[in-house]
Amino acid sequence: MQTLAHRSLDDGTVSRQEHSHHGCIAGAGARNGAAICAREGAVGLSLVARHGDQLSQVCDDARKLAPKTDIVAIEADVSKPRDIERIVATALAQFKGHLDVLVNNASTIGPSPMPNLLDYPIEDFRGVLDTNLIGPFLLIKNALPAMIERGGSIINVTSDAGQVGYPGWGAYGISKFGLEGMSQTWASELEDTNVRVNWVDPGSMNTAMHRAAEPQEDPTEWANPTDVTDVFVFLASDESKGITGKRFQAQEQWKATLSK
């Protein structure tokens, strides 16, 4: 996702002058999390995922791509407040109190096939909100003290289901509506600090979660996660300083958002 270091959006080359960044990606086990890792240039990077096998593979790939980056694997569940405290504490301990970029990429679709709201089990509903909305809220809240000191970038991953109430998208869509509203509020409350908050809709991507959500669709028509990372690279880099409170669409002409 970002240039935790600083990467040209035109030719993909990395400038080494900004390698003082330390980042945390929650949800690094998904394919789009792995794609984000592939674009990193940070001094330190903590990768968070629920499933240890996926996390191990992502970390191995990230170390091959960025052998000089201090990669920290944290197996944790962002729906659990104690895990969130451990995520932030582990990252800060490893990076000597520094955290410059937080990417809230962790998400769950809920039951599959997705039921209508009338038939939605309450525990599943709560579980989706805990992961997709409460988790990012608590991660931001716990990470902010370290980020405010030096400034930084918070990037929340949303969806078009966070702007349109699609039938059958239930708790997932509602959680993304909440995430977008929360992102706007954090951005407003932090506008007098050096911490910027933006949110990105990556569009339709060929991920396991999307395939579970729409099993009747052809996933080959969806984008490869590695092809939609440029906006994340930009938002995590120093090039995006001063840009906050904006919604970006990764598969659209997202640079036009900068002038709005």
Side-chain angles (χ1 to χ4, degrees), residues 150-168:
R150 299 190 346 149
S153 176
I154 296 169
I155 307 167
N156 295 326
V157 180
T158 184
S159 164
D160 62 330
Q163 291 204 319
V164 178
Y166 297 118

Side-chain angles (χ1 to χ4, degrees), residues 6 12 44-45 55 73-74 87 91 102 110 112 128-129 133-134 136 143 177 191 201 203 208 219 251:
H6 168 119
L45 186 61
L55 180 61
I74 305 175
I87 290 167
L102 172 63
S112 179
V128 172
L129 294 185
L133 181 58
I134 306 300
F177 269 93
E191 64 182 354
D201 173 7
Q251 295 188 47

